Amino acid sequence: MATKKIITVFGATGSQGGSVVSALLKDRTFAVRAVTRNTSKPAAVKLKEAGAEVVAADLDDEKSLEAALIGVYGAFVVTNFWEDFNKDKEVKQGKTIADLCKRLSLQHVVFSGLENVKKLTGGKLEVLHFDGKGLVEDYFRKISCPMTSVRLAFYYENFLTGCKPQKSKDCDSYDLVIPMCNVPMDGISVSDLGPAVLSILKNPKEYTGKNIGLSAEKLTVAQYAEIMSKVSCKVIKDAKISPEDYAKLPFPGAEEMANMFRFYIMIPDRDVPLTHKLNPETKNFQQWLEENKEAFIKVL
Ligand code: NAP
């Protein structure tokens, strides 16, 4: 039996990498080398039990990254801005990986990128967790490392955590606090990333060198709220908050998130038809919410 090509998957214990590992293991075309900083944590043990080779590596430790990338055909790379809220650190991690992938002659890297908003807007707007990933996208291209960038839309899963509806003052209803000023916002379940990445890895000629904006569909905040109300049987409304007021909310990263929504309002750039071509089972918001109804009601 021919040996399978290996894909190193970064962030394997997290949302994006976890989705990619699960799609690759299910499909079985590729073997999976899953990266974590701690191979004994429960999520890593689960990956091993599911059939992945689990290796320890740290994005801040080049030697460990080299060991994780040696001998593989390709990689899925995701960096986590929110770990340190530090653009320079995220760029350094991304460039280190890009250099290694080039030096070790990887044939295809799928990088979880985003737009360089600062460059696109001529410096008018900065979104640190986007800009850094945009710089890394450019760097992969500059050093001619074969790479496809997947730019994910807002995860639906955010509605279960940091962007869950907030109890209104009268406690009778809930407010969906997303400052989109009636402009439709792209969304996707992060669990639908894996099959899309698999399609990209299976079709390198078609997708290498491209930036692919992944989105299941675009809905206004009022439409998201309407579907939430229908599925949960609670009253959930668009809070109609402005980006200016959102930036002042008392949580770490509020201004950074407000800037992200400002960018979503200016240049919505995700490719819904291509997303469904890459992963025909991509769920729209209502389907996702119905599947996650119990978890959603629990967080309200
Ligand atoms: P996540 O679920 O929090 O998982 C983070 C993963 O990164 C973990 O597997 C962790 O592995 C790994 N990791 C963190 N620091 C590491 C390091 N120094 N070395 C090696 N591995 C490290 O995160 P995610 O949602 O998959 O990805 C986060 C990224 O997605 C962010 O940069 C964000 O900007 C981007 N994004 C988010 C959205 C959204 O709507 N939320 C949309 C588009 C893009 P271990 O802890 O096991 O080592």
Side-chain angles (χ1 to χ4, degrees):
M1 208 175 77
T3 341
K4 287 182 186 175
K5 291 173 177 166
I6 303 169
I7 306 292
T8 295
V9 179
F10 288 90
T13 58
S15 306
Q16 293 198 25
S19 170
V20 172
V21 170
S22 141
L24 265 53
L25 288 178
K26 192 168 164 207
D27 174 78
R28 301 161 72 104
T29 303
F30 299 101
V32 175
R33 185 177 292 171
V35 175
T36 171
R37 286 166 293 183
N38 176 2
T39 54
S40 55
K41 72 197 269 191
V45 172
K46 266 195 191 156
L47 293 173
K48 199 170 174 194
E49 284 166 2
E53 174 196 1
V54 178
V55 299
D58 190 318
L59 288 165
D60 300 318
D61 171 4
E62 188 170 343
K63 271 227 161 73
S64 71
L65 295 177
E66 178 161 1
L69 288 165
I70 246 163
V72 305
Y73 164 83
F76 171 76
V77 177
V78 58
T79 51
N80 188 6
F81 172 86
W82 302 107
E83 184 102 356
D84 299 289
F85 288 65
N86 186 330
K87 173 180 145 186
D88 293 340
K89 188 169 176 190
E90 192 177 27
V91 172
K92 186 164 182 255
Q93 292 175 337
K95 286 188 175 178
T96 304
I97 292 256
D99 283 332
L100 281 168
C101 292
K102 174 72 182 171
R103 179 154 66 76
L104 298 171
S105 303
L106 266 69
Q107 291 177 53
H108 195 184
V109 178
V110 180
F111 172 61
S112 182
L114 285 169
E115 292 86 346
N116 183 341
V117 177
K118 189 176 177 187
K119 187 167 138 192
L120 278 173
T121 60
K124 281 190 195 121
L125 183 62
E126 286 184 67
V127 187
L128 303 179
H129 71 290
F130 277 53
D131 297 348
K133 294 181 181 74
L135 288 169
V136 175
E137 284 181 350
D138 287 348
Y139 189 73
F140 267 104
R141 264 102 205 203
K142 185 176 148 203
I143 63 169
S144 303
C145 181
M147 183 275 279
T148 306
S149 177
V150 283
R151 296 169 165 177
L152 266 93
F154 184 91
Y155 306 170
Y156 294 150
E157 286 77 3
N158 298 333
F159 292 128
L160 301 175
T161 55
C163 295
K164 68 178 186 178
Q166 301 297 308
K167 258 200 181 112
S168 63
K169 277 191 194 116
D170 55 21
C171 287
D172 279 358
S173 59
Y174 293 84
D175 293 325
L176 190 54
V177 188
I178 308 270
M180 283 298 295
C181 305
N182 297 326
V183 175
M185 179 178 79
D186 286 285
I188 191 165
S189 165
V190 68
S191 68
D192 283 325
L193 169 69
V197 170
L198 175 66
S199 294
I200 291 167
L201 286 168
K202 283 178 159 180
N203 297 285
K205 280 198 189 122
E206 206 173 334
Y207 298 116
T208 301
K210 301 226 161 101
N211 299 324
I212 299 176
L214 295 174
S215 164
E217 67 178 335
K218 295 175 206 288
L219 297 173
T220 61
V221 175
Q223 287 170 321
Y224 281 111
E226 193 186 325
I227 294 169
M228 287 174 178
S229 302
K230 197 159 85 183
V231 172
S232 67
C233 300
K234 313 259 184 203
V235 180
I236 302 175
K237 292 180 284 194
D238 177 2
K240 296 189 184 291
I241 188 170
S242 68
E244 291 66 36
D245 288 341
Y246 191 95
K248 291 180 208 142
L249 292 176
F251 70 87
E255 195 170 350
E256 170 71 6
M257 291 289 285
N259 286 339
M260 176 189 81
F261 290 116
R262 287 185 172 111
F263 175 64
Y264 282 173
I265 290 167
M266 284 163 59
I267 320 173
D269 175 33
R270 300 288 175 264
D271 191 337
V272 173
L274 180 55
T275 302
H276 287 271
K277 181 181 166 196
L278 290 167
N279 176 7
E281 289 177 18
T282 300
K283 295 171 282 294
N284 66 25
F285 182 60
Q286 178 151 348
Q287 287 167 323
W288 175 83
L289 193 62
E290 274 161 4
E291 277 181 22
N292 292 276
K293 181 175 166 175
E294 213 178 301
F296 182 66
I297 291 172
K298 219 169 165 180
V299 299
L300 289 177

